[in-house]
Amino acid sequence: MVLTGNQIDLFEASMPRLKAIAYRLLGSASDAEDAVQDTFLRWQSADVDRIEVPEAWLTKVLTNLCLNQLTSARARRETYVGQWLPEPLLAGDPMLGPADTVEQRESVSFAVLALMERLSPNERVVYVLREAFGYPHRRIAEILDITEAYGQQIFHRAKKHIEDGRTRTEIDEAAARQIVDEFLTAATSGRTEPLVRLLTADAVAIGDGGGKVPARTRPFEGAVAVAKFMRSLFTPNQAARNLLGGSAEIHVSYANGLPALVVTVDGRVIGVMCLEITADGIAAFRNQANPDKLERATRQWAATDHGEPALRIN
């Protein structure tokens, strides 16, 4: 079927929302792009004139495509090398989607996206559509072909799973930036004690190298262990330079709605470390270093002005 200009415009107007939904469901910007493209192909071959509510139709098709991917992704996760973290989205990326409420901002954070890996595919869909996009339970039930009452049960179960493993991370932006600056000062001091004071007692550090770059297969746990690791990571030495592949620049930025350190070498993003900052200190460091998951970040980084680095490792 050949689409009219209005039908193409209608799909293009829906694309930002579809991409934001798909990213939250899949944790991968590239997979989200593919899912939206496949949705367009189905839109192109459908009898569009007979579709009464295009937005609902597109959301249902996209959701079913993502459900298929989530099922296969579970098998891939079992053979994934080391820790799995989502593909990072830098500040300003339209795929981040709505950010008006705490729930919407947290739904795209590394912490919540990682927690959503524990949910069943249906739980993930219900949680994302309801919590991040405010879909009525009736609409969600229609999308998943389930009863509204059952959809509500799924949502409450999913929300409890997320809340049980989540630490609230809302903190004033200026205060968060101050803590990040204090962290960089402490991390480059060569001493462990200043770092320990900035961390929560149960702090963790998780790295995703995907088997492509060196990364510990198990998280560092506890303030002292994390502080020692961070001290070694930010202390310039030949081993660090060899690992980085050259002189690195570290910029303070935002990724997935959280304060982040973006590490670049010759303009290429080689790491995005999200900091989970609470009122009690830094609770988690989640570092994405898998080069396969940093291509989008590198393209966006090259297209934006990010000022002088906060730190150089020569």
Side-chain angles (χ1 to χ4, degrees):
M1 176 180 176
V2 177
L3 297 176
T4 67
N6 286 340
Q7 290 164 344
I8 293 174
D9 290 345
L10 193 154
F11 182 84
E12 289 181 346
S14 299
M15 279 180 63
R17 177 180 54 84
L18 295 175
K19 288 182 178 181
I21 291 173
Y23 173 74
R24 283 167 169 79
L25 290 178
L26 302 173
S28 164
S30 56
D31 287 347
E33 294 275 9
D34 290 343
V36 173
Q37 180 61 31
D38 286 345
T39 302
F40 177 73
L41 293 177
R42 283 158 176 74
W43 174 252
Q44 198 171 32
S45 61
D47 188 353
V48 176
D49 291 332
R50 297 175 65 87
I51 297 174
E52 295 182 4
V53 187
E55 179 189 338
W57 187 93
L58 290 169
T59 304
K60 183 165 185 172
V61 170
L62 175 83
T63 300
N64 285 329
L65 289 167
C66 289
L67 280 170
N68 291 338
Q69 286 204 44
L70 283 170
T71 301
S72 61
R74 287 197 156 206
R76 294 198 303 272
R77 297 283 194 272
E78 292 177 2
T79 59
Y80 193 81
V81 178
Q83 300 292 312
W84 180 92
L85 289 173
E87 182 177 348
L89 299 180
L90 301 182
D93 192 315
M95 199 176 281
L96 288 167
D100 297 327
T101 67
V102 174
E103 290 76 17
Q104 288 174 337
R105 290 190 291 273
E106 288 194 341
S107 71
V108 80
S109 70
F110 265 25
V112 171
L113 288 173
L115 285 170
M116 280 199 280
E117 288 292 300
R118 305 177 186 178
L119 304 181
S120 70
N122 270 7
E123 286 175 337
R124 190 159 181 162
V125 168
V126 172
Y127 181 82
V128 165
L129 292 181
R130 179 66 181 169
E131 193 79 344
F133 294 89
Y135 276 60
H137 285 294
R138 174 183 55 80
R139 289 269 309 280
I140 297 172
E142 291 169 354
I143 288 169
L144 291 175
D145 292 322
I146 58 177
T147 67
E148 185 174 342
Y150 184 48
Q152 289 177 327
Q153 290 178 18
I154 292 175
F155 173 70
H156 292 305
R157 186 166 63 241
K159 189 169 184 178
K160 185 177 188 307
H161 285 322
I162 297 296
E163 290 184 343
D164 285 348
R166 178 176 61 184
T167 302
R168 286 284 179 180
T169 57
E170 279 288 289
I171 188 169
D172 176 76
E173 187 171 328
R177 175 58 196 252
Q178 182 178 344
I179 291 172
V180 174
D181 289 341
E182 290 175 359
F183 164 74
L184 286 174
T185 299
T188 55
S189 70
R191 296 187 297 125
T192 303
E193 293 79 9
L195 279 167
V196 171
R197 289 195 292 270
L198 291 173
L199 308 180
T200 62
D202 58 352
V204 297
I206 303 169
D208 178 350
K212 305 296 179 67
V213 298
R216 183 179 167 94
T217 57
R218 295 178 61 83
F220 289 93
E221 298 180 344
V224 174
V226 172
K228 288 180 178 179
F229 171 64
M230 289 298 161
R231 183 193 64 194
S232 66
L233 199 62
F234 286 87
T235 301
N237 54 60
Q238 190 57 49
R241 285 188 287 273
N242 292 340
L243 181 63
L244 294 170
S247 298
E249 294 184 343
I250 299 176
H251 293 259
V252 178
S253 185
Y254 270 77
N256 291 70
L258 294 178
L261 300 176
V262 178
V263 186
T264 65
V265 172
D266 297 328
R268 176 173 52 88
V269 176
I270 65 165
V272 177
M273 180 184 288
C274 288
L275 282 68
E276 185 178 325
I277 300 175
T278 72
D280 298 322
I282 304 173
F285 300 86
R286 295 180 175 88
N287 183 39
Q288 182 54 263
N290 184 343
D292 293 345
K293 298 182 182 182
L294 295 173
E295 294 177 1
R296 183 183 182 94
T298 293
R299 290 195 302 272
Q300 186 181 356
W301 192 256
T304 57
D305 179 15
H306 30 74
E308 289 295 310
L311 180 66
R312 286 187 173 89
I313 299 179
N314 298 313

